[in-house]
Amino acid sequence: MDRDSQPSAESRTASVVELAQKLIRRPSRAGVDDYGPVLGVLEDWLTAHRLPHRRLRDDAGSVVGLLVELAGGRPGPWWTLDACVDTAPYGDESAWSFPPDSGDIVDGWLLGRGSADSKLAAALFCHIAADLAPHAETLCGGLAVLLDVDEHTGGFGGARVYLADPHTTRPAGVMIGYPGMDEVVVGGRGLWRATISVHAPAGHSGSRKSVVGAISRAAHLVRLLDEAQLPGTETDSGFPLPPKLSVTAFHSGQGFSVTPDRADLNVDVRTTPGFDTQDAETLVRAAVARLDAELPAPVPTEITPVASWPPFRLTENEQPAAVLLNAAAEAGLTVRAKIAGPSNIGNLLAGEGIPATAGFGVPYQGLHGTDERACLAELPTVYAVYRQAVLNLLDG
């Protein structure tokens, strides 16, 4: 393949930004907006550039993503570029200094929700596929570009349908287009999440009878969970982060005069190779058992697990981490491999046995917050790094 047979960096950057602007101007807040308009922008662009693509639908028939599939002319593994086109909510729009769906460029920054996470990456990955398509017969294996929605809900509907699709070639690895030029995320803590329902007899707040209500029992459980002993950083395994337990929601009661008979908690435990999901569940169940022993109630406390992802970690020599880090180094960048504290779609892929990187993109501000924006000055370099990484993978 003639690797120099491509548009100029200036014209390509302009085209990537133009597509990203159109995507930002189609609000696609997870669980709020209809995804049809933003996916329609992508479908129109892919069709105009004659890129083979198809819709991904969930069990209810809803479109949860688009999949571009570029088959090489020689045998080899497939690799995937992934960028979500749904976004976080806007939050307090009055706090923004520009409209959240702006899409304008000011002082070299692309403005609006999704500019950083991850509509600019989606536009970039589409252009890489279009760049390579005329030379597909020279490539080994194939390249898929997953443009998914239902990520910011935490459901990862698009990614799940992609992985379950019997017509899709299972990827040997995935590069996820989150922003930030200083790091490539090659691992992350896993998670175990559960809801806990705490019960107690209901009563009147003015009654002479003293009752330990559900709120009091739940507050005691929160203290027990906060005091639970978790192991520290695993210096022996080299995993750089310790496990962490957080109570993230507490719901109970209405009004003033009634002590409620139920309180519901959300518990989020971030796991590591040395403290896995079974350890997390054991710890929480021990705290619940202690609550029921110390403050008995007619109905036992109920634990309902709702999600479980494994931790993951790639070494810097494993693909696709190695090829991305090497391409960045060849471009003169100093990029470090990082194990992330928050979980991401890489954990979902790790549960399927698929190695993934997350991150490496343009500098950004306001991710998931007010005045989200992405710096365009480094876009040509980011494009060149991803293009080279993909080419190296598809060279077999």
Side-chain angles (χ1 to χ4, degrees):
M1 171 180 175
D2 180 2
R3 301 185 182 192
D4 296 322
S5 59
Q6 52 178 316
S8 69
E10 182 177 352
S11 64
R12 183 176 57 239
T13 297
S15 182
V16 171
V17 172
E18 181 183 8
L19 177 56
Q21 288 178 296
K22 292 179 179 179
L23 296 175
I24 293 167
R25 289 166 179 162
R26 292 348 184 248
S28 53
R29 291 165 291 178
V32 176
D33 297 311
D34 178 9
Y35 300 135
V38 72
L39 292 173
V41 169
L42 288 167
E43 284 189 299
D44 290 345
W45 192 93
L46 295 170
T47 299
H49 288 78
R50 299 180 180 180
L51 283 171
H53 64 279
R54 56 191 174 91
R55 296 178 177 182
L56 298 175
R57 296 181 182 272
D58 62 16
D59 292 340
S62 300
V63 179
V64 289
L66 301 174
L67 183 65
V68 181
E69 294 170 300
L70 190 62
R74 295 185 287 163
W78 279 64
W79 304 89
T80 298
L81 297 173
D82 171 41
C84 65
V85 292
D86 67 321
T87 73
Y90 295 156
D92 181 4
E93 295 185 46
S94 67
W96 287 63
S97 61
F98 49 82
D101 60 353
S102 166
D104 292 343
I105 299 171
V106 177
D107 296 330
W109 290 84
L110 176 62
L111 309 182
R113 178 64 84 225
S115 56
D117 184 11
S118 295
K119 292 180 176 180
L120 184 59
L124 184 149
F125 289 166
C126 286
H127 280 76
I128 288 178
D131 185 10
L132 301 186
H135 315 282
E137 72 280 356
T138 69
L139 305 177
C140 298
L143 174 68
V145 178
L146 174 61
L147 306 163
D148 57 322
V149 294
D150 192 39
E151 179 177 309
H152 285 85
T153 62
F156 295 97
R160 291 182 187 277
V161 170
Y162 167 58
L163 295 173
D165 189 336
H167 304 293
T168 298
T169 302
R170 193 173 185 82
V174 177
M175 290 184 283
I176 304 161
Y178 293 149
M181 285 197 74
D182 298 328
E183 301 163 339
V184 172
V185 175
V186 297
R189 289 188 290 201
L191 60 80
W192 180 84
R193 290 174 175 164
T195 60
I196 302 178
S197 298
V198 179
H199 303 277
H204 195 289
S205 59
S207 172
R208 293 184 178 184
K209 183 179 180 181
S210 179
V211 174
V212 180
I215 291 177
S216 296
R217 295 189 76 239
H220 186 65
L221 177 59
V222 171
R223 287 193 293 272
L224 294 175
L225 292 170
D226 285 344
E227 294 168 359
Q229 295 298 309
L230 280 73
T233 302
E234 299 163 19
T235 54
D236 54 338
S237 68
F239 200 83
L241 296 170
K244 182 180 180 182
L245 185 152
S246 303
V247 177
T248 57
F250 191 124
H251 305 285
S252 184
Q254 291 180 335
F256 291 91
S257 62
V258 176
T259 56
D261 59 2
R262 175 170 171 162
D264 294 303
L265 311 178
N266 288 354
V267 177
D268 178 287
V269 185
R270 298 305 167 112
T271 61
T272 66
F275 187 84
D276 60 18
T277 55
Q278 183 176 351
D279 296 320
E281 183 168 359
T282 298
L283 183 146
V284 171
R285 290 193 180 278
V288 165
R290 183 175 169 185
L291 167 71
D292 287 347
E294 294 179 355
L295 296 176
V299 179
T301 302
E302 301 167 334
I303 301 173
T304 305
V306 296
S308 176
W309 285 352
F312 76 103
R313 182 182 186 181
L314 306 182
T315 70
E316 296 182 25
N317 295 320
E318 291 180 87
Q319 301 293 18
V323 73
L324 186 55
L325 289 166
N326 288 341
E330 290 171 2
L333 302 176
T334 301
V335 180
R336 71 183 183 94
K338 177 186 177 182
I339 306 296
S343 304
N344 58 58
I345 193 174
N347 296 88
L348 173 66
L349 294 165
E352 296 285 334
I354 299 172
T357 61
F360 187 74
V362 298
Y364 65 92
Q365 294 178 359
L367 183 76
H368 292 186
T370 303
D371 284 355
E372 181 176 342
R373 64 188 73 194
C375 181
L376 298 177
E378 303 293 348
L379 181 58
T381 300
V382 172
Y383 185 97
V385 168
Y386 270 111
R387 183 179 187 273
Q388 188 61 52
V390 170
L391 281 172
N392 289 344
L393 290 170
L394 297 180
D395 271 349

